[in-house]
Amino acid sequence: MKKVVFILIAVISFSSVAQEILTLNDCYKLVETNYPLIKQHQLLEKQHQLDTEIISNSKLPQINLDAQATYQSDVIEIPIPNANIDPLNKDQYKATLSVNQLIYNGGLTAANLKVKKAQFKTKQKQVDTNIYQLKSQINRLYFSVLLTEETFNLLESKKSN
Protein backbone atom coordinates (compact mmCIF):
# COMPACT_ATOMS: atom_id res chain seq x y z
CA MET A 1 0.00 0.00 0.00
CA LYS A 2 1.30 3.45 -0.84
CA LYS A 3 2.23 5.71 2.05
CA VAL A 4 1.12 9.30 2.06
CA VAL A 5 1.98 12.41 4.07
CA PHE A 6 -1.11 13.36 6.01
CA ILE A 7 -1.65 16.34 8.30
CA LEU A 8 -3.14 15.09 11.56
CA ILE A 9 -5.16 18.10 12.57
CA ALA A 10 -8.53 16.32 12.39
CA VAL A 11 -7.50 12.83 13.49
CA ILE A 12 -5.36 13.66 16.54
CA SER A 13 -5.35 17.04 18.19
CA PHE A 14 -1.90 18.45 18.82
CA SER A 15 -0.99 21.90 19.97
CA SER A 16 0.96 22.34 16.75
CA VAL A 17 0.50 20.99 13.25
CA ALA A 18 2.30 17.68 12.86
CA GLN A 19 3.03 15.74 9.70
CA GLU A 20 3.29 12.00 9.73
CA ILE A 21 3.30 9.22 7.18
CA LEU A 22 0.09 7.28 7.55
CA THR A 23 -1.40 4.33 5.79
CA LEU A 24 -5.10 3.65 5.60
CA ASN A 25 -4.68 0.87 8.18
CA ASP A 26 -2.94 3.35 10.50
CA CYS A 27 -5.95 5.64 10.23
CA TYR A 28 -8.27 2.75 11.10
CA LYS A 29 -6.12 1.86 14.11
CA LEU A 30 -6.14 5.47 15.30
CA VAL A 31 -9.91 5.51 15.08
CA GLU A 32 -10.15 2.24 17.02
CA THR A 33 -7.94 3.56 19.82
CA ASN A 34 -9.21 7.14 20.03
CA TYR A 35 -12.84 7.20 18.95
CA PRO A 36 -15.20 6.80 21.94
CA LEU A 37 -17.87 4.95 19.96
CA ILE A 38 -15.57 1.92 19.65
CA LYS A 39 -15.55 1.51 23.44
CA GLN A 40 -19.33 1.30 23.41
CA HIS A 41 -19.10 -2.36 22.30
CA GLN A 42 -17.50 -3.28 25.63
CA LEU A 43 -20.01 -1.22 27.60
CA LEU A 44 -22.93 -2.85 25.80
CA GLU A 45 -21.46 -6.29 26.52
CA LYS A 46 -21.16 -5.52 30.25
CA GLN A 47 -24.68 -4.11 30.37
CA HIS A 48 -26.04 -7.22 28.62
CA GLN A 49 -24.28 -9.49 31.14
CA LEU A 50 -25.73 -7.53 34.07
CA ASP A 51 -29.24 -7.54 32.60
CA THR A 52 -29.01 -11.30 32.01
CA GLU A 53 -27.90 -11.89 35.60
CA ILE A 54 -30.73 -9.76 36.97
CA ILE A 55 -33.36 -11.58 34.92
CA SER A 56 -31.89 -15.00 35.79
CA ASN A 57 -31.87 -14.11 39.50
CA SER A 58 -35.65 -13.77 39.47
CA LYS A 59 -35.76 -17.59 39.62
CA LEU A 60 -33.89 -17.62 42.93
CA PRO A 61 -35.70 -17.52 46.28
CA GLN A 62 -36.15 -14.09 47.80
CA ILE A 63 -35.87 -13.58 51.55
CA ASN A 64 -37.44 -10.55 53.24
CA LEU A 65 -36.96 -9.60 56.88
CA ASP A 66 -39.25 -6.94 58.32
CA ALA A 67 -39.03 -5.58 61.85
CA GLN A 68 -41.25 -3.15 63.71
CA ALA A 69 -41.09 -1.59 67.16
CA THR A 70 -43.84 0.58 68.63
CA TYR A 71 -44.49 2.36 71.90
CA GLN A 72 -48.10 2.72 73.00
CA SER A 73 -48.83 5.85 75.03
CA ASP A 74 -51.95 4.34 76.55
CA VAL A 75 -52.76 0.68 77.09
CA ILE A 76 -56.24 -0.73 77.62
CA GLU A 77 -56.82 -2.27 81.03
CA ILE A 78 -59.72 -4.59 81.77
CA PRO A 79 -61.07 -3.91 85.28
CA ILE A 80 -62.00 -7.38 86.48
CA PRO A 81 -61.89 -7.75 90.26
CA ASN A 82 -59.54 -10.36 91.70
CA ALA A 83 -58.08 -11.19 88.28
CA ASN A 84 -54.38 -11.61 87.99
CA ILE A 85 -54.19 -10.17 84.48
CA ASP A 86 -51.13 -8.07 83.98
CA PRO A 87 -51.63 -4.95 81.89
CA LEU A 88 -50.11 -5.03 78.42
CA ASN A 89 -46.63 -3.72 77.95
CA LYS A 90 -46.36 -0.30 76.33
CA ASP A 91 -43.46 -1.51 74.17
CA GLN A 92 -44.39 -3.87 71.35
CA TYR A 93 -42.04 -5.60 68.93
CA LYS A 94 -42.79 -7.54 65.79
CA ALA A 95 -40.48 -9.28 63.30
CA THR A 96 -41.44 -11.27 60.21
CA LEU A 97 -39.35 -13.37 57.88
CA SER A 98 -40.79 -14.30 54.52
CA VAL A 99 -39.32 -16.50 51.81
CA ASN A 100 -40.73 -16.35 48.27
CA GLN A 101 -39.87 -18.84 45.56
CA LEU A 102 -40.96 -18.52 41.95
CA ILE A 103 -42.52 -21.81 40.90
CA TYR A 104 -44.02 -21.03 37.50
CA ASN A 105 -44.13 -17.87 35.46
CA GLY A 106 -45.28 -19.18 32.08
CA GLY A 107 -41.89 -18.76 30.37
CA LEU A 108 -41.71 -15.05 31.14
CA THR A 109 -38.08 -15.26 32.29
CA ALA A 110 -36.95 -17.00 29.09
CA ALA A 111 -38.93 -14.50 26.99
CA ASN A 112 -37.32 -11.57 28.84
CA LEU A 113 -33.87 -13.06 28.22
CA LYS A 114 -34.64 -13.36 24.49
CA VAL A 115 -35.87 -9.75 24.36
CA LYS A 116 -32.74 -8.48 26.12
CA LYS A 117 -30.52 -10.46 23.75
CA ALA A 118 -32.35 -9.06 20.71
CA GLN A 119 -32.01 -5.52 22.08
CA PHE A 120 -28.30 -6.12 22.70
CA LYS A 121 -27.74 -7.34 19.13
CA THR A 122 -29.68 -4.36 17.76
CA LYS A 123 -27.55 -1.89 19.73
CA GLN A 124 -24.37 -3.67 18.60
CA LYS A 125 -25.46 -3.40 14.94
CA GLN A 126 -26.22 0.31 15.40
CA VAL A 127 -22.70 0.85 16.74
CA ASP A 128 -21.27 -1.18 13.84
CA THR A 129 -23.23 0.97 11.39
CA ASN A 130 -21.87 4.17 12.93
CA ILE A 131 -18.33 2.78 12.80
CA TYR A 132 -18.81 1.80 9.16
CA GLN A 133 -19.97 5.35 8.35
CA LEU A 134 -16.91 6.71 10.14
CA LYS A 135 -14.61 4.41 8.16
CA SER A 136 -16.23 5.52 4.91
CA GLN A 137 -15.50 9.14 5.89
CA ILE A 138 -11.89 8.15 6.59
CA ASN A 139 -11.72 6.49 3.17
CA ARG A 140 -13.03 9.62 1.43
CA LEU A 141 -10.61 11.87 3.30
CA TYR A 142 -7.65 9.54 2.80
CA PHE A 143 -8.21 9.11 -0.93
CA SER A 144 -8.91 12.81 -1.41
CA VAL A 145 -5.49 13.47 0.18
CA LEU A 146 -3.94 10.92 -2.21
CA LEU A 147 -5.67 12.58 -5.16
CA THR A 148 -4.51 16.01 -4.01
CA GLU A 149 -0.96 14.73 -3.65
CA GLU A 150 -0.98 13.19 -7.13
CA THR A 151 -2.47 16.36 -8.58
CA PHE A 152 0.28 18.34 -6.89
CA ASN A 153 2.94 15.98 -8.29
CA LEU A 154 1.40 16.30 -11.75
CA LEU A 155 1.44 20.09 -11.56
CA GLU A 156 5.07 20.02 -10.35
CA SER A 157 6.06 17.80 -13.28
CA LYS A 158 4.26 20.12 -15.72
CA LYS A 159 5.98 23.08 -14.14
CA SER A 160 9.39 21.43 -14.50
CA ASN A 161 8.71 20.57 -18.16
Side-chain angles (χ1 to χ4, degrees), residues 71-159:
Y71 177 78
Q72 306 295 325
S73 61
D74 194 16
V75 179
I76 298 175
E77 293 182 25
I78 302 173
I80 300 176
N82 295 333
N84 291 335
I85 300 175
D86 294 330
L88 295 174
N89 192 357
K90 291 186 178 187
D91 295 331
Q92 294 182 1
Y93 305 99
K94 179 171 72 170
T96 59
L97 177 70
S98 62
V99 179
N100 296 323
Q101 172 67 50
L102 177 67
I103 296 174
Y104 178 73
N105 69 350
L108 184 64
T109 303
N112 283 339
L113 286 173
K114 286 180 183 178
V115 167
K116 286 295 181 184
K117 188 171 185 176
Q119 288 174 345
F120 167 69
K121 287 183 178 181
T122 302
K123 289 178 183 178
Q124 289 279 19
K125 291 299 179 186
Q126 288 173 345
V127 170
D128 289 340
T129 302
N130 291 338
I131 291 170
Y132 179 78
Q133 290 173 349
L134 182 64
K135 285 186 176 182
S136 69
Q137 288 177 345
I138 289 171
N139 287 340
R140 282 195 306 264
L141 289 171
Y142 186 83
F143 290 116
S144 68
V145 167
L146 283 177
L147 182 64
T148 304
E149 186 179 78
E150 289 300 320
T151 305
F152 179 75
N153 290 341
L154 182 65
L155 287 174
E156 286 295 319
S157 66
K158 280 187 177 183
K159 191 190 296 183

